[in-house]
Amino acid sequence: MKRLLTFLSSCSALVGSAALACSFHNYVPRPTMVDRLLNTEHIVLARADPDDPLRFQPLQALEGEADLVDLPFLVDAATRQRLNADPQAKVLFTRDGAYGEWLRVAYVDAEMSAVLNTVMEHRDAWQIGEDDDRFATFAGYLDHPDRAVRHLALRELDRADYGVLRQLDPKVDTANTLSALSDPAEADLVPIRYLLLGLAGDAALEQKLRAGLSDSLNRQNGVLGAKTVALLELGGAARAEELARSFLSNSDVPLADREMMVEAFALLSIYGAPDMQVAVRTSVAAAIQAAPDIGAPVARQFGGRGDWSMHETLEAAVRDRRVTSPLEVILLSQYVAIANETLEPGSN
């Protein structure tokens, strides 16, 4: 454990413009409606006050009390119009802690009300960290007919580890997902949509995604990594070999971009099907031999996930002096040392 912490510290020193944490998955996403509901002690539903239509009147407390609650928000024209058109709809508010400021969280119509009820039913369990159930619940909403519910489901799944996401086997409406990629208002959801497209199992998607891969270079926005994962999932072992040869081994491709792609390979080295794991590791090893500057990104992304399958290749790169930067030599040597301690004799 001490060696691993030292290794991760060395990774941080060498990260530069490339992130060690998942560069295309929102590890620190903005809070969702579910987060607000799980992390507060006061939850109320409100509508416009009949006696003062510009102010909200609390009608129901899901947690805490509705009495004597003064919501410091005005009912804007758009919300007033929506509420007038739907007598059953309400607006959800939570308070930041027991005595903090009130937050306006969501518009709750009949569709969102059903989701809200589900969250409240699971609230106690989800508060203590039963995330697998939470992710599974929202995976079931991905093809929901209501756009707001689908949007919430995407934001929930955007925080799931890729291994969890893959195990969920989510049902993806590929047509809707593809069309939503061009929505500028949801640019931050493009990566998770690509990951879901990769899991859709639709071979026809591969050509569409492959055509635009080069367009994602030099963007530093996470799309390149997510698109690479999707292409690996859709194209299988042959695609792993092709992408490694065309991009990872290509020193003309910026190293930061190649690191995003290496991260995608690292995920499939762990979570991919057995033949994919073999193809990924073989392809990445060949890329290191062809372009030794990829060694540090490989050590960071594979080592940061506890995957020591590159130890022989990285050890050879150091031994043969194909990597000469002192910091990179230290990083690769630490990766190799931890791998030798971790792996059983004869492991690959």
Side-chain angles (χ1 to χ4, degrees):
M1 177 60 72
K2 184 177 180 180
R3 275 186 176 273
L4 181 57
L5 292 175
T6 302
F7 173 76
L8 294 176
S9 177
S10 298
C11 288
S12 300
L14 281 163
V15 162
S17 61
L20 176 61
C22 190
S23 58
F24 49 85
H25 219 22
N26 286 332
Y27 270 51
V28 189
R30 59 186 178 185
T32 66
M33 180 186 83
V34 182
D35 293 316
R36 300 297 187 195
L37 293 171
L38 299 185
N39 296 294
T40 187
E41 298 175 34
H42 216 151
I43 304 168
V44 299
L45 292 166
R47 285 182 58 87
D49 189 336
D51 298 326
D52 186 357
L54 292 180
R55 298 192 64 81
F56 283 102
Q57 177 185 40
L59 299 178
Q60 179 184 1
L62 303 180
E63 188 72 18
E65 301 293 336
D67 297 338
L68 303 178
V69 169
D70 182 20
L71 298 170
F73 299 90
L74 294 177
V75 183
D76 59 272
T79 300
R80 186 162 56 253
Q81 184 177 15
R82 294 180 74 183
L83 291 172
N84 288 339
D86 186 353
Q88 302 304 314
K90 300 177 181 66
V91 179
L92 175 68
F93 295 89
T94 66
R95 185 150 60 183
D96 189 10
Y99 304 101
E101 63 178 344
W102 283 99
L103 300 172
R104 177 173 171 167
V105 177
Y107 180 82
V108 181
D109 56 11
E111 301 288 355
M112 190 59 76
S113 179
V115 178
L116 175 60
N117 290 338
T118 296
V119 175
M120 295 305 295
E121 290 172 3
H122 292 81
R123 187 168 179 261
D124 290 345
W126 292 356
Q127 280 180 323
I128 60 175
E130 292 189 12
D131 289 340
D132 287 350
D133 180 56
R134 177 175 170 179
F135 293 138
T137 297
F138 281 93
Y141 289 124
L142 281 174
D143 60 351
H144 196 280
D146 185 78
R147 181 179 182 274
V149 174
R150 293 197 306 271
H151 186 275
L152 177 60
L154 281 171
R155 293 207 175 278
E156 282 292 303
L157 294 183
D158 198 24
R159 68 193 57 222
D161 180 83
Y162 185 71
V164 173
L165 192 65
R166 201 171 188 274
Q167 288 180 344
L168 289 172
D169 190 24
K171 302 298 180 287
V172 183
D173 185 323
T174 56
N176 283 340
T177 304
L178 281 170
S179 64
L181 291 173
S182 58
D183 186 347
E186 297 184 354
D188 61 327
L189 290 175
V190 169
I192 181 61
R193 285 191 165 113
Y194 273 119
L195 295 179
L196 290 171
L197 287 171
L199 296 173
D202 185 349
L205 292 171
E206 186 187 358
Q207 189 60 37
K208 293 182 180 180
L209 301 188
R210 181 66 178 88
L213 187 63
S214 295
D215 295 338
S216 300
L217 298 176
N218 292 301
R219 298 294 180 88
Q220 297 294 296
N221 59 4
V223 174
L224 178 61
K227 193 180 289 187
T228 303
V229 172
L231 284 168
L232 291 171
E233 291 281 17
L234 292 168
R239 183 60 71 199
E241 296 167 4
E242 188 269 328
L243 291 180
R245 183 174 61 254
S246 300
F247 292 91
L248 300 189
S249 300
N250 186 353
S251 296
D252 291 333
V253 176
L255 189 60
D257 288 330
R258 284 187 283 157
E259 177 139 14
M260 288 187 187
M261 299 185 77
V262 166
E263 181 178 5
F265 277 78
L267 288 174
L268 271 298
S269 176
I270 298 171
Y271 301 119
D275 62 330
M276 174 60 75
Q277 292 181 15
V278 172
V280 161
R281 293 167 184 175
T282 301
S283 301
V284 172
I288 295 170
Q289 293 181 8
D293 63 337
I294 204 70
V298 169
R300 278 194 290 268
Q301 298 301 336
F302 279 69
R305 290 166 175 80
D307 184 332
W308 310 110
S309 58
M310 293 294 108
H311 73 289
E312 291 184 355
T313 303
L314 293 179
E315 183 176 28
V318 173
R319 184 182 63 243
D320 299 341
R321 299 185 182 275
R322 286 182 286 119
V323 175
T324 57
S325 164
L327 284 177
E328 292 185 7
V329 169
I330 291 172
L331 177 64
L332 269 61
S333 298
Q334 289 179 335
Y335 176 99
V336 171
I338 297 174
N340 289 336
E341 285 187 357
T342 304
L343 299 175
E344 296 180 359
S347 295
N348 294 321

